[in-house]
Amino acid sequence: MARGDAATMAAALVLLAATLPGAAIASPAEGFQPLSKIAVHRTTVEMQPSAYVRATPSLLGEQGEDTEWVTVKYGWTNPSVDDWIAVFSPADFNSGTCPNPGEPPMLCTAPIKYQYANYSANYIYWGKGSIRFQLINQRYDFSFALFTGGLGNPKLIAVSEPISFKNPKTPVFPRLAQGKSHDEMTVTWTSGYDISEAYPFVEWGAVNAATAVSRPARTPAGTLTFNRGSMCGEPARTVGWRDPGFIHTAFMRDLWPNKEYYYKIGHELQDGSVVWGKPYTFRAPPSPGQNSLQRIIVFGDLGKAERDGSNEFANYQPGSLNTTDTLVEDLDNYDIVFHIGDLPYANGYVSQWDQFTAQVAPITAKKPYMIASGNHERTWPNSGGFFDGQDSGGECGVPAETMYYYPAENRANFWYKVDYGMFRFCVADSEHDWREGTPQHKFIEECLSTVDRKHQPWLIFTAHRVLGYSSNAWYAMEGSFEEPEGRENLQKLWQKYRVDIAFFGHVHNYERTCPVYQTHCMTNEKSHYSGTMNGTIFVVAGGGGSHLSDYTTAIPNWSIFRDHDFGFVKLTAFNHSSLLFEYKKSSDGKVYDSFTIDRDYRDVLSCVHDSCFPTTLAT
């Protein structure tokens, strides 16, 4: 096709998209990892005698803090609106050999975060300013650099002296997750200690009313890490690379159902002394089928954001902190969290995984945090996934699969089941092939078919991409209202095994359908369901924090409730017969959509279309 013809066709396609009902016209600023805006390889070093950057305090974490605020003062005689301040770690960022050699001088690594210099009032007028940055303990020292020339043509003109945490290697940001059995809790954390330097372990024990804490046990932890060669492409292999430290996981087994436990992570040094993390408590999961109050949080697409305002010029994850803070404030009122894909949107900038684990640490340190694989964790061409996009920035699943534990038989295949009291969750991996005849399809059927609905009546399916129903604009333009080949390969399983609710993320909004099968609502009820179970309710809960997605203007008959806002879902099982579903906005934690399910075991057994084998009369 000639270039002129291609341009004409492209213009026509843009015009067509703009005229289609519900066509989404995304903001140019949406969807781009802010660090990717920096043309790192174009950087030149042009140090200016009049330019300076100073950071205080120079020593962080003197009282054991793993998060600190730093004041950075800077200036020079020729200030510009496109000057910016960057945070680098390690501090010696402007040395070494780049993995992709270019014309020197140049940088080999992107900063952890940055902010425009004129974020400080009157910087342009006075030629000096002051910004406060929030730093987390990330195993290395830090320095701050002043650049001019904007993000597209950066010129390094001044660098601060290094600052550091008192113990950069200290264990931080514990992440709980339920193990492969109900009486097993795992804890994963990050440190700077290799196994040659210190022995990682968790100290833990039951909390008793009389003695506060029973005699604690110590359980050793396994250690993993990954290197630049583990990454599949740029920027993860190049400017986005940062050493992830060491990832440790320990297993606390033979837990008593619903009992409260104390734990503390630690590293025993060669001299016998111990470097401790902070102490926490958690409540052990209920046994499968146990009749007790059980409360579940579900959402996807959270992302990370910076409390100091840095990296936020693109409004990349506008609702992330609201959702996180609302869940932190409500910690006592839920038991387990399912984050169904798209975690930090690091997109190949590995430093952002530390930033994300720090953001959600108040939740993950006390509640099991179960994750699913999303396109921004896994998708990369020729990497064995189902999709060939570049959404993971070259990570191809490695950081997610290493930084968090999940009870999969094969960690590279991100599918697993969780039995939590009266619930069974079948967590699928939409980034690997789920179609009939594949290993994942076999897993899904096994997970759905082996649950005992007498004792675990609430059967939940989750995946990241929408394999069910969504009236999102781009799905509507495709005419499918789903991920292509999604429900066609799975709806018979959902119907046959009577899945109560199927949750999805990927689309950044909230939507709930009627109980539906083969695009038809199986009941006219919208807020209370009882009697024979005859269809699955599909829920998009992708409004965790990333920029919102638009709907099509034509509302399908199966769409019951839609909300173009940030939020999450809470499921409350009161007993084997009663379930409450609530959709809450992140902005205020209030309920904006809800329904109840009341039914008995016989209602699950009753046959409906495509749910039972043919029967015969006995003689």
Side-chain angles (χ1 to χ4, degrees), residues 69 95 118 209 266 410 518 531 557-558 561 574 577 594 600 604 616:
W69 286 86
S95 65
N118 64 2
N410 180 348
Q518 295 180 335
N557 67 309
W558 39 257
F561 191 97
F574 298 100
S577 301
S594 66
D600 296 323
V604 181
T616 185

Side-chain angles (χ1 to χ4, degrees), residues 158-174:
V159 181
S160 75
E161 292 294 319
I163 67 172
S164 67
F165 277 82
K166 184 176 182 180
N167 180 6
K169 294 186 175 184
T170 196
V172 290
F173 314 129

Side-chain angles (χ1 to χ4, degrees), residues 243-261:
D243 190 307
F246 300 97
I247 317 303
H248 316 279
T249 299
F251 296 80
M252 297 172 279
R253 297 187 168 100
D254 298 322
L255 304 178
W256 291 30
N258 284 69
K259 194 168 186 62
E260 188 177 7
Y261 286 85

